[in-house]
mmCIF file with all atom_site columns, all heavy atoms in Angstrom:
data_model
loop_
_atom_site.group_PDB
_atom_site.id
_atom_site.type_symbol
_atom_site.label_atom_id
_atom_site.label_alt_id
_atom_site.label_comp_id
_atom_site.label_asym_id
_atom_site.label_entity_id
_atom_site.label_seq_id
_atom_site.pdbx_PDB_ins_code
_atom_site.Cartn_x
_atom_site.Cartn_y
_atom_site.Cartn_z
_atom_site.occupancy
_atom_site.B_iso_or_equiv
_atom_site.pdbx_formal_charge
_atom_site.auth_seq_id
_atom_site.auth_comp_id
_atom_site.auth_asym_id
_atom_site.auth_atom_id
_atom_site.pdbx_PDB_model_num
ATOM 1   N N   . ALA A 1 18  ? -47.277 1.351   23.255  1.00 79.00 ? 22  ALA A N   1
ATOM 2   C CA  . ALA A 1 18  ? -48.453 1.407   22.373  1.00 79.00 ? 22  ALA A CA  1
ATOM 3   C C   . ALA A 1 18  ? -48.775 2.871   21.953  1.00 79.00 ? 22  ALA A C   1
ATOM 4   O O   . ALA A 1 18  ? -49.004 3.110   20.781  1.00 79.00 ? 22  ALA A O   1
ATOM 5   C CB  . ALA A 1 18  ? -49.724 0.740   23.088  1.00 79.00 ? 22  ALA A CB  1
ATOM 6   N N   . SER A 1 26  ? -49.209 7.383   12.970  1.00 80.00 ? 30  SER A N   1
ATOM 7   C CA  . SER A 1 26  ? -49.972 8.494   12.441  1.00 80.00 ? 30  SER A CA  1
ATOM 8   C C   . SER A 1 26  ? -49.073 9.424   11.671  1.00 80.00 ? 30  SER A C   1
ATOM 9   O O   . SER A 1 26  ? -49.431 10.047  10.631  1.00 80.00 ? 30  SER A O   1
ATOM 10  C CB  . SER A 1 26  ? -50.754 9.225   13.549  1.00 80.00 ? 30  SER A CB  1
ATOM 11  O OG  . SER A 1 26  ? -51.663 8.287   14.102  1.00 80.00 ? 30  SER A OG  1
ATOM 12  N N   . GLY A 1 80  ? -39.678 17.404  12.171  1.00 68.00 ? 84  GLY A N   1
ATOM 13  C CA  . GLY A 1 80  ? -40.608 18.419  11.712  1.00 68.00 ? 84  GLY A CA  1
ATOM 14  C C   . GLY A 1 80  ? -41.576 17.922  10.700  1.00 68.00 ? 84  GLY A C   1
ATOM 15  O O   . GLY A 1 80  ? -41.626 16.681  10.403  1.00 68.00 ? 84  GLY A O   1
ATOM 16  N N   . ASN A 1 92  ? -59.376 13.223  9.339   1.00 43.00 ? 96  ASN A N   1
ATOM 17  C CA  . ASN A 1 92  ? -59.414 12.093  10.263  1.00 43.00 ? 96  ASN A CA  1
ATOM 18  C C   . ASN A 1 92  ? -58.069 11.527  10.696  1.00 43.00 ? 96  ASN A C   1
ATOM 19  O O   . ASN A 1 92  ? -57.990 10.594  11.308  1.00 43.00 ? 96  ASN A O   1
ATOM 20  C CB  . ASN A 1 92  ? -60.130 10.950  9.633   1.00 43.00 ? 96  ASN A CB  1
ATOM 21  C CG  . ASN A 1 92  ? -59.532 10.490  8.384   1.00 43.00 ? 96  ASN A CG  1
ATOM 22  O OD1 . ASN A 1 92  ? -58.646 11.195  7.779   1.00 43.00 ? 96  ASN A OD1 1
ATOM 23  N ND2 . ASN A 1 92  ? -59.909 9.340   7.783   1.00 43.00 ? 96  ASN A ND2 1
ATOM 24  N N   . SER A 1 99  ? -52.480 18.640  18.879  1.00 41.00 ? 103 SER A N   1
ATOM 25  C CA  . SER A 1 99  ? -52.104 19.449  17.759  1.00 41.00 ? 103 SER A CA  1
ATOM 26  C C   . SER A 1 99  ? -51.695 18.458  16.680  1.00 41.00 ? 103 SER A C   1
ATOM 27  O O   . SER A 1 99  ? -51.112 17.385  16.994  1.00 41.00 ? 103 SER A O   1
ATOM 28  C CB  . SER A 1 99  ? -50.767 20.275  18.112  1.00 41.00 ? 103 SER A CB  1
ATOM 29  O OG  . SER A 1 99  ? -50.265 20.849  16.980  1.00 41.00 ? 103 SER A OG  1
ATOM 30  N N   . THR A 1 108 ? -33.578 23.170  17.602  1.00 47.00 ? 112 THR A N   1
ATOM 31  C CA  . THR A 1 108 ? -33.063 21.927  17.183  1.00 47.00 ? 112 THR A CA  1
ATOM 32  C C   . THR A 1 108 ? -32.060 21.831  15.982  1.00 47.00 ? 112 THR A C   1
ATOM 33  O O   . THR A 1 108 ? -31.764 20.728  15.574  1.00 47.00 ? 112 THR A O   1
ATOM 34  C CB  . THR A 1 108 ? -34.338 20.991  16.689  1.00 47.00 ? 112 THR A CB  1
ATOM 35  O OG1 . THR A 1 108 ? -34.995 21.649  15.577  1.00 47.00 ? 112 THR A OG1 1
ATOM 36  C CG2 . THR A 1 108 ? -35.363 20.884  17.801  1.00 47.00 ? 112 THR A CG2 1
ATOM 37  N N   . PHE A 1 134 ? -16.869 12.203  9.769   1.00 79.00 ? 138 PHE A N   1
ATOM 38  C CA  . PHE A 1 134 ? -16.486 12.418  8.397   1.00 79.00 ? 138 PHE A CA  1
ATOM 39  C C   . PHE A 1 134 ? -17.405 11.641  7.375   1.00 79.00 ? 138 PHE A C   1
ATOM 40  O O   . PHE A 1 134 ? -17.114 11.720  6.148   1.00 79.00 ? 138 PHE A O   1
ATOM 41  C CB  . PHE A 1 134 ? -15.012 11.973  8.160   1.00 79.00 ? 138 PHE A CB  1
ATOM 42  C CG  . PHE A 1 134 ? -13.993 12.722  8.948   1.00 79.00 ? 138 PHE A CG  1
ATOM 43  C CD1 . PHE A 1 134 ? -13.402 12.279  10.097  1.00 79.00 ? 138 PHE A CD1 1
ATOM 44  C CD2 . PHE A 1 134 ? -13.692 13.982  8.455   1.00 79.00 ? 138 PHE A CD2 1
ATOM 45  C CE1 . PHE A 1 134 ? -12.488 12.989  10.729  1.00 79.00 ? 138 PHE A CE1 1
ATOM 46  C CE2 . PHE A 1 134 ? -12.740 14.770  9.125   1.00 79.00 ? 138 PHE A CE2 1
ATOM 47  C CZ  . PHE A 1 134 ? -12.111 14.271  10.256  1.00 79.00 ? 138 PHE A CZ  1
ATOM 48  N N   . GLU A 1 197 ? -36.080 16.196  1.902   1.00 51.00 ? 201 GLU A N   1
ATOM 49  C CA  . GLU A 1 197 ? -36.851 16.482  0.666   1.00 51.00 ? 201 GLU A CA  1
ATOM 50  C C   . GLU A 1 197 ? -35.982 17.299  -0.331  1.00 51.00 ? 201 GLU A C   1
ATOM 51  O O   . GLU A 1 197 ? -35.910 17.031  -1.524  1.00 51.00 ? 201 GLU A O   1
ATOM 52  C CB  . GLU A 1 197 ? -38.126 17.358  0.911   1.00 51.00 ? 201 GLU A CB  1
ATOM 53  C CG  . GLU A 1 197 ? -38.978 17.536  -0.282  1.00 51.00 ? 201 GLU A CG  1
ATOM 54  C CD  . GLU A 1 197 ? -40.223 18.366  0.086   1.00 51.00 ? 201 GLU A CD  1
ATOM 55  O OE1 . GLU A 1 197 ? -40.376 18.672  1.227   1.00 51.00 ? 201 GLU A OE1 1
ATOM 56  O OE2 . GLU A 1 197 ? -41.118 18.453  -0.808  1.00 51.00 ? 201 GLU A OE2 1
ATOM 57  N N   . SER A 1 213 ? -27.758 13.690  -21.267 1.00 54.00 ? 217 SER A N   1
ATOM 58  C CA  . SER A 1 213 ? -26.386 13.975  -21.744 1.00 54.00 ? 217 SER A CA  1
ATOM 59  C C   . SER A 1 213 ? -25.825 12.641  -22.219 1.00 54.00 ? 217 SER A C   1
ATOM 60  O O   . SER A 1 213 ? -25.022 11.935  -21.484 1.00 54.00 ? 217 SER A O   1
ATOM 61  C CB  . SER A 1 213 ? -25.571 14.508  -20.547 1.00 54.00 ? 217 SER A CB  1
ATOM 62  O OG  . SER A 1 213 ? -24.190 14.740  -20.956 1.00 54.00 ? 217 SER A OG  1
ATOM 63  N N   . PRO A 1 245 ? 9.958   -13.778 -14.724 1.00 66.00 ? 249 PRO A N   1
ATOM 64  C CA  . PRO A 1 245 ? 11.045  -12.879 -15.149 1.00 66.00 ? 249 PRO A CA  1
ATOM 65  C C   . PRO A 1 245 ? 11.926  -13.472 -16.266 1.00 66.00 ? 249 PRO A C   1
ATOM 66  O O   . PRO A 1 245 ? 12.412  -12.797 -17.072 1.00 66.00 ? 249 PRO A O   1
ATOM 67  C CB  . PRO A 1 245 ? 11.836  -12.808 -13.845 1.00 66.00 ? 249 PRO A CB  1
ATOM 68  C CG  . PRO A 1 245 ? 11.474  -14.004 -13.127 1.00 66.00 ? 249 PRO A CG  1
ATOM 69  C CD  . PRO A 1 245 ? 10.103  -14.345 -13.429 1.00 66.00 ? 249 PRO A CD  1
ATOM 70  N N   . LEU A 1 283 ? -7.761  0.440   -11.538 1.00 90.00 ? 287 LEU A N   1
ATOM 71  C CA  . LEU A 1 283 ? -8.885  -0.526  -11.831 1.00 90.00 ? 287 LEU A CA  1
ATOM 72  C C   . LEU A 1 283 ? -10.149 -0.066  -11.195 1.00 90.00 ? 287 LEU A C   1
ATOM 73  O O   . LEU A 1 283 ? -11.230 0.034   -11.871 1.00 90.00 ? 287 LEU A O   1
ATOM 74  C CB  . LEU A 1 283 ? -8.487  -1.869  -11.433 1.00 90.00 ? 287 LEU A CB  1
ATOM 75  C CG  . LEU A 1 283 ? -7.325  -2.503  -12.150 1.00 90.00 ? 287 LEU A CG  1
ATOM 76  C CD1 . LEU A 1 283 ? -6.990  -3.901  -11.512 1.00 90.00 ? 287 LEU A CD1 1
ATOM 77  C CD2 . LEU A 1 283 ? -7.852  -2.822  -13.608 1.00 90.00 ? 287 LEU A CD2 1
ATOM 78  N N   . CYS A 1 312 ? 6.515   3.668   0.271   1.00 90.00 ? 316 CYS A N   1
ATOM 79  C CA  . CYS A 1 312 ? 7.646   4.414   -0.391  1.00 90.00 ? 316 CYS A CA  1
ATOM 80  C C   . CYS A 1 312 ? 8.603   4.943   0.673   1.00 90.00 ? 316 CYS A C   1
ATOM 81  O O   . CYS A 1 312 ? 9.805   4.966   0.399   1.00 90.00 ? 316 CYS A O   1
ATOM 82  C CB  . CYS A 1 312 ? 7.142   5.562   -1.307  1.00 90.00 ? 316 CYS A CB  1
ATOM 83  S SG  . CYS A 1 312 ? 6.265   5.054   -2.715  1.00 90.00 ? 316 CYS A SG  1
ATOM 84  N N   . VAL A 1 384 ? 44.366  -10.186 -20.893 1.00 90.00 ? 388 VAL A N   1
ATOM 85  C CA  . VAL A 1 384 ? 45.633  -10.796 -21.141 1.00 90.00 ? 388 VAL A CA  1
ATOM 86  C C   . VAL A 1 384 ? 46.556  -9.852  -21.887 1.00 90.00 ? 388 VAL A C   1
ATOM 87  O O   . VAL A 1 384 ? 46.077  -9.225  -22.870 1.00 90.00 ? 388 VAL A O   1
ATOM 88  C CB  . VAL A 1 384 ? 45.386  -12.073 -22.049 1.00 90.00 ? 388 VAL A CB  1
ATOM 89  C CG1 . VAL A 1 384 ? 46.709  -12.700 -22.480 1.00 90.00 ? 388 VAL A CG1 1
ATOM 90  C CG2 . VAL A 1 384 ? 44.524  -13.112 -21.324 1.00 90.00 ? 388 VAL A CG2 1
ATOM 91  N N   . ALA A 1 401 ? 36.465  -2.652  -3.226  1.00 91.00 ? 405 ALA A N   1
ATOM 92  C CA  . ALA A 1 401 ? 35.519  -2.840  -2.188  1.00 91.00 ? 405 ALA A CA  1
ATOM 93  C C   . ALA A 1 401 ? 34.915  -1.523  -1.826  1.00 91.00 ? 405 ALA A C   1
ATOM 94  O O   . ALA A 1 401 ? 35.467  -0.469  -1.951  1.00 91.00 ? 405 ALA A O   1
ATOM 95  C CB  . ALA A 1 401 ? 36.121  -3.434  -0.945  1.00 91.00 ? 405 ALA A CB  1
ATOM 96  N N   . LEU A 1 418 ? 39.849  -13.690 -3.624  1.00 87.00 ? 422 LEU A N   1
ATOM 97  C CA  . LEU A 1 418 ? 39.283  -14.464 -4.768  1.00 87.00 ? 422 LEU A CA  1
ATOM 98  C C   . LEU A 1 418 ? 39.698  -15.808 -4.595  1.00 87.00 ? 422 LEU A C   1
ATOM 99  O O   . LEU A 1 418 ? 40.877  -16.228 -4.587  1.00 87.00 ? 422 LEU A O   1
ATOM 100 C CB  . LEU A 1 418 ? 39.807  -13.819 -6.041  1.00 87.00 ? 422 LEU A CB  1
ATOM 101 C CG  . LEU A 1 418 ? 39.339  -14.494 -7.378  1.00 87.00 ? 422 LEU A CG  1
ATOM 102 C CD1 . LEU A 1 418 ? 37.871  -14.427 -7.504  1.00 87.00 ? 422 LEU A CD1 1
ATOM 103 C CD2 . LEU A 1 418 ? 40.074  -13.996 -8.569  1.00 87.00 ? 422 LEU A CD2 1
ATOM 104 N N   . VAL A 1 427 ? 44.833  -22.779 -14.011 1.00 89.00 ? 431 VAL A N   1
ATOM 105 C CA  . VAL A 1 427 ? 44.284  -21.871 -12.958 1.00 89.00 ? 431 VAL A CA  1
ATOM 106 C C   . VAL A 1 427 ? 42.821  -22.046 -12.956 1.00 89.00 ? 431 VAL A C   1
ATOM 107 O O   . VAL A 1 427 ? 42.059  -21.746 -13.955 1.00 89.00 ? 431 VAL A O   1
ATOM 108 C CB  . VAL A 1 427 ? 44.647  -20.373 -13.324 1.00 89.00 ? 431 VAL A CB  1
ATOM 109 C CG1 . VAL A 1 427 ? 43.992  -19.495 -12.270 1.00 89.00 ? 431 VAL A CG1 1
ATOM 110 C CG2 . VAL A 1 427 ? 46.092  -20.128 -13.466 1.00 89.00 ? 431 VAL A CG2 1
ATOM 111 N N   . TYR A 1 434 ? 26.811  -16.018 -3.625  1.00 82.00 ? 438 TYR A N   1
ATOM 112 C CA  . TYR A 1 434 ? 25.983  -15.201 -2.731  1.00 82.00 ? 438 TYR A CA  1
ATOM 113 C C   . TYR A 1 434 ? 24.559  -15.603 -2.890  1.00 82.00 ? 438 TYR A C   1
ATOM 114 O O   . TYR A 1 434 ? 24.140  -16.098 -3.941  1.00 82.00 ? 438 TYR A O   1
ATOM 115 C CB  . TYR A 1 434 ? 26.198  -13.754 -3.101  1.00 82.00 ? 438 TYR A CB  1
ATOM 116 C CG  . TYR A 1 434 ? 27.565  -13.270 -3.042  1.00 82.00 ? 438 TYR A CG  1
ATOM 117 C CD1 . TYR A 1 434 ? 28.238  -12.962 -4.214  1.00 82.00 ? 438 TYR A CD1 1
ATOM 118 C CD2 . TYR A 1 434 ? 28.230  -13.067 -1.833  1.00 82.00 ? 438 TYR A CD2 1
ATOM 119 C CE1 . TYR A 1 434 ? 29.576  -12.538 -4.206  1.00 82.00 ? 438 TYR A CE1 1
ATOM 120 C CE2 . TYR A 1 434 ? 29.542  -12.681 -1.832  1.00 82.00 ? 438 TYR A CE2 1
ATOM 121 C CZ  . TYR A 1 434 ? 30.249  -12.378 -3.029  1.00 82.00 ? 438 TYR A CZ  1
ATOM 122 O OH  . TYR A 1 434 ? 31.558  -11.926 -2.955  1.00 82.00 ? 438 TYR A OH  1
ATOM 123 N N   . VAL A 1 457 ? 48.061  -18.054 -23.518 1.00 90.00 ? 461 VAL A N   1
ATOM 124 C CA  . VAL A 1 457 ? 47.085  -18.208 -22.503 1.00 90.00 ? 461 VAL A CA  1
ATOM 125 C C   . VAL A 1 457 ? 45.774  -18.624 -23.123 1.00 90.00 ? 461 VAL A C   1
ATOM 126 O O   . VAL A 1 457 ? 45.324  -17.975 -23.991 1.00 90.00 ? 461 VAL A O   1
ATOM 127 C CB  . VAL A 1 457 ? 46.891  -16.835 -21.704 1.00 90.00 ? 461 VAL A CB  1
ATOM 128 C CG1 . VAL A 1 457 ? 45.752  -16.976 -20.660 1.00 90.00 ? 461 VAL A CG1 1
ATOM 129 C CG2 . VAL A 1 457 ? 48.189  -16.423 -21.045 1.00 90.00 ? 461 VAL A CG2 1
ATOM 130 N N   . ASN A 1 464 ? 34.591  -14.692 -19.991 1.00 44.00 ? 468 ASN A N   1
ATOM 131 C CA  . ASN A 1 464 ? 34.788  -13.688 -21.049 1.00 44.00 ? 468 ASN A CA  1
ATOM 132 C C   . ASN A 1 464 ? 35.925  -12.764 -20.638 1.00 44.00 ? 468 ASN A C   1
ATOM 133 O O   . ASN A 1 464 ? 36.087  -12.380 -19.470 1.00 44.00 ? 468 ASN A O   1
ATOM 134 C CB  . ASN A 1 464 ? 33.406  -12.838 -21.004 1.00 44.00 ? 468 ASN A CB  1
ATOM 135 C CG  . ASN A 1 464 ? 33.476  -11.794 -22.187 1.00 44.00 ? 468 ASN A CG  1
ATOM 136 O OD1 . ASN A 1 464 ? 33.954  -12.058 -23.229 1.00 44.00 ? 468 ASN A OD1 1
ATOM 137 N ND2 . ASN A 1 464 ? 33.006  -10.609 -21.855 1.00 44.00 ? 468 ASN A ND2 1
#
Side-chain angles (χ1 to χ4, degrees):
S30 297
N96 59 346
S103 174
T112 60
F138 292 107
E201 186 176 6
S217 180
L287 292 172
C316 291
V388 177
L422 174 64
V431 179
Y438 304 107
V461 176
N468 185 41

